[in-house]
Amino acid sequence: MSKLDLQTLESWLWDSANILRGSIDSSDFKNYIFGLLFLKRVNDVHTEEVDAIVERDGISREDAEDETYFKVPQEARWDEIKKFTENIGIALDIAFATIERDNNKGLNNLEGVLTSTKFGDKEKLSDEVLQRLLSHFNKYSLKNQDLYTPDLLGDAYEYLIKQFADDAGKKGGEFYSPRGVVQTIVRLIKPQPRQKVYDPTCGSGGMLIESAKYVAELPDGKVGNNINISLYGQEKNLGTWAIGKMNMLLHNYNDADLRKGDTLNDPKHKNEDNELMLFDRVIANPPFSQDGWWTSAETSQEVKVDKDGNEKKLTPNYQKSVVDPYGRFQYGIPPRGYADTAFLQHMIAVLKQDGKAGVVLPHGTLFRSGTEGAIREKLLKSDLIECIVGLPSALFYNTGIPASIWIINKSKAAHLKNKVVIIDASNEYKEGKNQNELIELNISKIVSTYDHFVTTKLEEVPDEKYARIVDLEEIAGNDYNLNISRYIDTTEVENEVDLYKVKNTILELEAREKEIDEKLFAFLMEMGL
């Protein structure tokens, strides 16, 4: 039997969405399909592993099952679930619960991962629909030996995440960052073997996985079959966190440390002294301009009673309410309506002294005044901002506004001290029907331009209509405003107009016109008209 290739796998998995259409909202497809995909995969791999242990050690299947890496209890066996003709959803919920129960130790702890989606609600999913789904998922084997490459399922999973983001529209932005943007940031911050890479708003894990793929291609990037990198992440949304965990396992990144929770209010990655862990590379696409981001201030709002006895909650004063035990907001407390610089300061706080961070932020962070302006000024004076990349509009699923990539470097090269590399890539994209896209041509231009500035001492300067290296003194002269149009002039120089020459040309044309009119009049007279 031929091995399952990516195109066949993608088509097969996408067809499962068509079975669900009409039963549930398209934005929820991912939760159900990913759950069944994961269940089929772990069953097939478990069977494959048991077969290998039996053949290697000559022991019984029952004894071999005790030695497997991943435990699949009897209630979760694919062959058992296929027997159900009614209450299939309940059987699936039990299967997922038992898998979580038997795999609840260490980084591979699946508690809350699989049971976050409920299959037992018959108002959403009838037994008929679930039976069709099970029959559909039974079509192919997902054993490693039957896949074209061991990472094939992870690639298909990543493809489906994008497809569901397309299908879900704006909701898709919650769990998926466009691949071109992710690849750009990874290639800008360049993670290296043996490093710790962290994403404080990891979503479905795409930025971490792309970082691992980058490292895998480097010398010493692999130790045996394992990629020589440590992955860490945190995600607030429970369903998205669950997808991220499954995504890691399906990509064979079993040691990825993904935690669930609100990173700003309750960062989970800490050392034994309850201090924040530090990382070599930090990468993120936080939610744009998140409102009401300090939970304790929002849940304890003061109430004022007006003269008519009506209660009204007072808007929290974040300057007074935000007290961070980890000291992350040393450059200033961001405003209530914009969490962007809160996420940025968290990333700076957990970055090693020789580390680099890359983050996507809305364009407004470059020029908004007030508290954000004061924070931006302090970041610039502290010489933390190495590069700003202006991106095209309509790249993201949750907004049409343009965004920017900020590169943070605590240890800039000497020739970049008190300078910022500014790249205007706003016109570098492939136009799409719903979203624009960064393709390899655009990505490589951004990365090569950045690399030129970082690795050389500027003997040659690239196109100044695309990129410049700007002194802090010039930025200070603009009140620390980083709006790219202030530093890169993309207007085309118009040719100078020689008015004397234009006047003579007009006179010549008028004389010529008079001559033609006289000839035409003579012809008409000869014809008696």
Side-chain angles (χ1 to χ4, degrees):
M1 185 178 70
S2 61
K3 292 183 182 291
L4 188 60
D5 60 35
L6 181 60
Q7 185 177 358
T8 304
L9 183 57
E10 288 174 352
S11 176
W12 171 53
L13 291 175
W14 188 246
D15 285 343
S16 63
N18 293 326
I19 296 174
L20 286 171
R21 292 190 193 281
S23 298
I24 57 174
D25 189 85
S26 61
S27 62
D28 293 327
F29 285 177
K30 62 185 186 300
N31 302 323
Y32 296 94
I33 292 176
F34 293 164
L36 288 175
L37 171 63
F38 187 80
L39 182 62
K40 181 66 163 62
R41 167 69 168 172
V42 296
N43 265 274
D44 287 353
V45 171
H46 180 265
T47 299
E48 185 177 38
E49 188 177 3
V50 169
D51 290 342
I53 294 172
V54 169
E55 183 176 351
R56 183 191 68 202
D57 300 339
I59 59 178
S60 67
R61 296 192 66 83
E62 184 177 357
D63 290 338
E65 286 178 359
D66 292 334
E67 297 185 20
T68 57
Y69 174 78
F70 198 92
K71 307 303 177 187
V72 182
Q74 197 64 30
E75 301 94 323
R77 300 291 169 89
W78 188 259
D79 288 340
E80 290 297 317
I81 295 170
K82 282 194 306 178
K83 295 177 183 177
F84 283 84
T85 57
E86 57 184 24
N87 297 322
I88 299 172
I90 296 174
L92 285 168
D93 287 341
I94 292 172
F96 290 129
T98 57
I99 289 178
E100 287 189 7
R101 180 198 66 201
D102 289 3
N103 297 274
N104 62 356
K105 296 178 181 179
L107 295 177
N108 206 19
N109 187 346
L110 293 181
E111 183 179 356
V113 173
L114 305 174
T115 52
S116 61
T117 300
K118 303 300 180 185
F119 284 79
D121 185 350
K122 288 192 176 183
E123 291 187 4
K124 287 186 175 181
L125 291 173
S126 66
D127 283 326
E128 181 184 7
V129 169
L130 286 173
Q131 203 164 29
R132 286 180 63 199
L133 272 176
L134 290 176
S135 176
H136 181 74
F137 272 90
N138 197 53
K139 186 175 181 180
Y140 293 105
S141 165
L142 298 179
K143 295 178 181 178
N144 286 319
Q145 66 186 30
D146 294 325
L147 301 180
Y148 185 71
T149 172
D151 197 36
L152 179 69
L153 206 66
D155 290 340
Y157 193 88
E158 191 173 322
Y159 162 83
L160 282 176
I161 287 174
K162 179 188 180 302
Q163 292 301 107
F164 286 126
D166 284 337
D167 211 46
K170 290 185 178 180
K171 292 182 181 179
E174 296 176 4
F175 60 92
Y176 178 79
S177 300
R179 190 167 189 174
V181 176
V182 176
Q183 290 176 335
T184 301
I185 302 178
V186 169
R187 287 162 63 175
L188 288 172
I189 66 173
K190 297 177 174 55
Q192 299 297 306
R194 294 181 293 280
Q195 287 188 339
K196 293 180 178 179
V197 180
Y198 167 68
D199 184 345
T201 57
C202 65
S204 55
M207 286 189 161
L208 295 173
I209 288 171
E210 192 64 39
S211 298
K213 288 182 176 180
Y214 180 88
V215 168
E217 298 300 318
L218 300 176
D220 300 322
K222 281 190 172 184
V223 179
N225 291 324
N226 297 319
I227 298 177
N228 197 3
I229 192 173
S230 299
L231 304 177
Y232 301 81
Q234 185 166 339
E235 172 56 42
K236 181 179 180 179
N237 183 286
L238 176 62
T240 305
W241 167 80
I243 290 173
K245 287 281 285 186
M246 287 189 282
N247 199 8
M248 291 294 166
L249 292 171
L250 290 172
H251 274 90
N252 299 316
Y253 303 138
N254 299 322
D255 294 331
D257 184 358
L258 302 192
R259 312 278 182 94
K260 57 176 180 265
D262 186 333
T263 300
L264 294 180
N265 290 268
D266 185 19
K268 297 294 187 182
H269 293 90
K270 293 172 282 191
N271 60 26
E272 295 175 355
D273 297 323
N274 203 39
E275 296 173 336
L276 295 176
M277 286 179 63
L278 300 181
F279 303 93
D280 302 285
R281 296 289 186 270
V282 184
I283 186 169
N285 176 18
F288 285 0
S289 301
Q290 180 180 318
D291 189 16
W293 52 272
W294 195 253
T295 305
S296 59
E298 299 297 329
T299 55
S300 59
Q301 286 179 260
E302 293 182 36
V303 177
K304 182 180 180 180
V305 180
D306 63 22
K307 61 182 180 180
D308 297 322
N310 298 317
E311 292 186 350
K312 181 182 179 181
K313 287 186 176 181
L314 300 179
T315 301
N317 182 347
Y318 271 39
Q319 295 299 317
K320 295 180 179 179
S321 301
V322 178
V323 180
D324 179 42
Y326 306 102
R328 290 171 292 175
F329 307 129
Q330 58 178 300
Y331 302 99
I333 305 298
R336 180 180 185 236
Y338 300 97
D340 307 304
T341 51
F343 284 111
L344 181 61
Q345 289 186 82
H346 170 79
M347 295 174 69
I348 292 170
V350 299
L351 187 65
K352 289 182 179 179
Q353 191 57 41
D354 60 349
K356 275 192 178 184
V359 56
V360 182
L361 295 175
H363 220 59
T365 55
L366 298 175
F367 54 80
R368 286 195 293 246
S369 57
T371 307
E372 286 186 295
I375 292 171
R376 187 173 58 247
E377 178 179 342
K378 290 177 182 177
L379 292 173
L380 285 162
K381 286 181 175 178
S382 299
D383 207 18
L384 292 169
I385 303 173
E386 182 174 70
C387 179
I388 299 292
V389 180
L391 295 174
S393 59
L395 285 179
F396 298 87
Y397 293 95
N398 54 349
T399 180
I401 64 172
S404 55
I405 297 173
W406 293 51
I407 301 299
I408 301 296
N409 189 348
K410 289 186 175 181
S411 301
K412 289 185 182 180
H415 68 281
L416 290 178
K417 296 289 185 183
N418 295 309
K419 294 179 174 63
V420 179
V421 176
I422 296 182
I423 300 173
D424 183 5
S426 58
N427 293 316
E428 300 289 329
Y429 62 91
K430 176 184 178 183
E431 189 172 354
K433 182 179 179 182
N434 297 316
Q435 273 80 35
N436 294 326
E437 180 184 1
L438 290 180
I439 59 175
E440 176 58 32
L441 179 68
N442 314 129
I443 298 169
S444 60
K445 184 175 180 180
I446 293 170
V447 175
S448 62
T449 302
Y450 168 80
D451 288 347
H452 169 82
F453 282 124
V454 170
T455 59
T456 72
K457 295 188 178 179
L458 316 179
E459 287 86 356
E460 298 178 12
V461 179
D463 180 6
E464 288 199 353
K465 289 188 176 296
Y466 180 74
R468 275 188 65 209
I469 185 164
V470 183
D471 286 313
L472 184 59
E473 184 178 352
E474 181 179 347
I475 296 172
N478 282 316
D479 295 325
Y480 298 95
N481 186 319
L482 285 174
N483 199 350
I484 292 173
S485 62
R486 290 185 178 231
Y487 305 100
I488 297 181
D489 181 10
T490 58
T491 59
E492 295 295 331
V493 178
E494 295 184 5
N495 294 327
E496 291 185 5
V497 177
D498 186 336
L499 294 178
Y500 181 78
K501 186 176 181 181
V502 170
K503 179 183 176 182
N504 287 337
T505 301
I506 292 173
L507 291 173
E508 289 176 4
L509 289 173
E510 287 177 344
R512 179 64 176 158
E513 182 182 17
K514 183 178 179 181
E515 182 183 345
I516 292 172
D517 285 343
E518 289 175 350
K519 288 183 178 180
L520 178 61
F521 183 76
F523 286 142
L524 291 174
M525 290 292 291
E526 289 179 5
M527 297 172 64
L529 297 175

